[in-house]
Amino acid sequence: MFSIRFSPSDGGCTLVGGCDNSTIFICDRETSSVRALRTQHFSSVDINAISYVSDQDSNLVVSGCSNGFIKLWDLRCNYRADKSASVFVGHLDGITYIDPRNDGHYLLGNARDQSIKICDIRQPTPNSRVQKNPTSPLIEWDYGWDQLPREYYNPKALLRAKFSPRLPRLQTGQRYIYTGCSTGRIIVYDVLTGNIKEAIVSHRNVVSNLDWHPHLSEIVSASWDGHVNVNGYRNKPNLKRRNPKKISRPLRRSRRIADGQGQSYEESDEGDELNNR
């Protein structure tokens, strides 16, 4: 099982999980009953990510598949295999994370093709386009141990992208997307423009996960460098800053490439974009 979530609106009585056999399991903790929802005719597609659409509805869930599809499911319905309520096509490779905006309309997907895409669940992909889209990744590789294919290579690979919380005092209003980066930075994007709002160099290695405090302007981040850092969001436009500690470890390959191209990390920040909004 690659991903699991508590139901947000029934006191955590229900669990949904996505597995490596193309199946979503719905588990009732009170009755110990388990329902299986087959998402494909065959079990070759992994469910890498799963999430509820909003905290107010325990019936609608979305799944992120290893073939790059995001699918919407209504748990009140009985679906035949490979038939969902809606399908969202756009990523070129497997979905790694899904984060809902919690408004019942928007969610974002983060994928192995190193892009972030925002979906409006009211506007699914037409069936004609879904049928033309390949049902398997363009390149066969394993995210766990294979090197990133050259076709997808991006020295600023983005990981665990999420919507910012509602912070009235800072006037963020979920307008931003924040994400970890393979260069050790935390990037905050403006959803409306796709531009970087703030870039924080926080770690010496890949930022594997991060979370924004629900009430304060603080982002906690975990990294492959073995550290967990608390970072302050300053809400200043185009702010690029470093931690005061000097980095003494050898540069990662992505940093060496940036140096070879004659770009400092601050300069390369200006070229970061949200791949698709």
Side-chain angles (χ1 to χ4, degrees):
M1 186 169 288
F2 291 144
S3 180
I4 190 167
R5 294 285 181 101
F6 276 109
S7 172
S9 60
D10 65 0
C13 292
T14 305
L15 287 168
V16 293
C19 297
D20 62 353
N21 60 356
S22 304
T23 303
I24 296 173
F25 287 102
I26 303 98
C27 310
D28 190 317
R29 298 175 62 199
E30 292 184 340
T31 64
S32 298
S33 63
V34 178
R35 172 189 167 199
L37 177 62
R38 295 285 298 172
T39 66
Q40 302 285 336
H41 284 298
F42 306 100
S43 59
S44 58
V45 177
D46 300 336
I47 307 298
N48 295 332
I50 196 164
S51 176
Y52 287 90
V53 171
S54 75
D55 290 348
Q56 290 73 44
D57 194 334
S58 60
N59 296 309
L60 298 180
V61 300
V62 284
S63 61
C65 309
S66 59
N67 58 10
F69 288 4
I70 294 177
K71 294 187 175 184
L72 174 69
W73 309 89
D74 189 331
L75 300 183
R76 296 166 294 189
C77 300
N78 292 318
Y79 295 100
R80 62 179 177 85
D82 85 347
K83 180 63 176 178
S84 59
S86 301
V87 180
F88 303 90
V89 176
H91 285 290
L92 301 177
D93 210 323
I95 308 299
T96 58
Y97 193 76
I98 295 176
D99 189 61
R101 195 170 184 264
N102 202 27
D103 58 1
H105 300 316
Y106 297 101
L107 56 91
L108 63 84
N110 199 180
R112 301 193 303 178
D113 61 11
Q114 312 305 323
S115 70
I116 301 170
K117 296 183 185 294
I118 298 177
C119 302
D120 185 339
I121 66 172
R122 298 165 297 183
Q123 299 181 12
T125 303
N127 290 332
S128 58
R129 183 183 170 195
V130 173
Q131 295 170 358
K132 293 180 181 179
N133 204 76
T135 57
S136 60
L138 300 179
I139 302 170
E140 293 294 337
W141 67 295
D142 192 282
Y143 193 67
W145 50 78
D146 291 341
Q147 290 187 347
L148 184 68
R150 184 180 298 274
E151 290 83 353
Y152 295 160
Y153 182 71
N154 176 1
K156 309 178 187 68
L158 307 178
L159 308 168
R160 284 292 188 271
K162 302 178 181 181
F163 284 108
S164 64
R166 296 182 182 275
L167 297 174
R169 183 171 61 86
L170 296 177
Q171 298 180 342
T172 58
Q174 290 188 301
R175 181 176 173 175
Y176 306 122
I177 289 174
Y178 65 107
T179 176
C181 179
S182 63
T183 61
R185 300 178 302 172
I186 296 171
I187 310 296
V188 180
Y189 290 102
D190 188 313
V191 174
L192 298 180
T193 66
N195 296 327
I196 289 179
K197 185 70 173 179
E198 183 171 354
I200 308 168
V201 177
S202 179
H203 292 277
R204 301 172 179 174
N205 210 318
V206 176
V207 178
S208 56
N209 207 345
L210 72 173
D211 199 37
W212 198 316
H213 192 286
H215 308 298
L216 304 177
S217 56
E218 295 179 346
I219 301 173
V220 63
S221 57
S223 169
W224 288 4
D225 63 11
H227 291 83
V228 175
N229 293 347
V230 176
N231 312 271
Y233 171 67
R234 299 180 182 179
N235 196 25
K236 294 183 179 180
N238 300 323
L239 179 62
K240 296 171 283 294
R241 55 188 171 86
R242 292 180 179 274
N243 276 348
K245 295 182 179 179
K246 182 179 180 181
I247 296 176
S248 58
R249 292 189 181 184
L251 296 176
R252 285 178 50 78
R253 180 172 180 266
S254 56
R255 294 175 182 255
R256 295 199 303 269
I257 290 176
D259 284 348
Q261 294 174 345
Q263 288 183 313
S264 68
Y265 309 131
E266 284 80 0
E267 290 171 346
S268 63
D269 287 342
E270 300 296 341
D272 282 348
E273 294 181 357
L274 192 63
N275 270 355
N276 191 311
R277 295 186 296 109

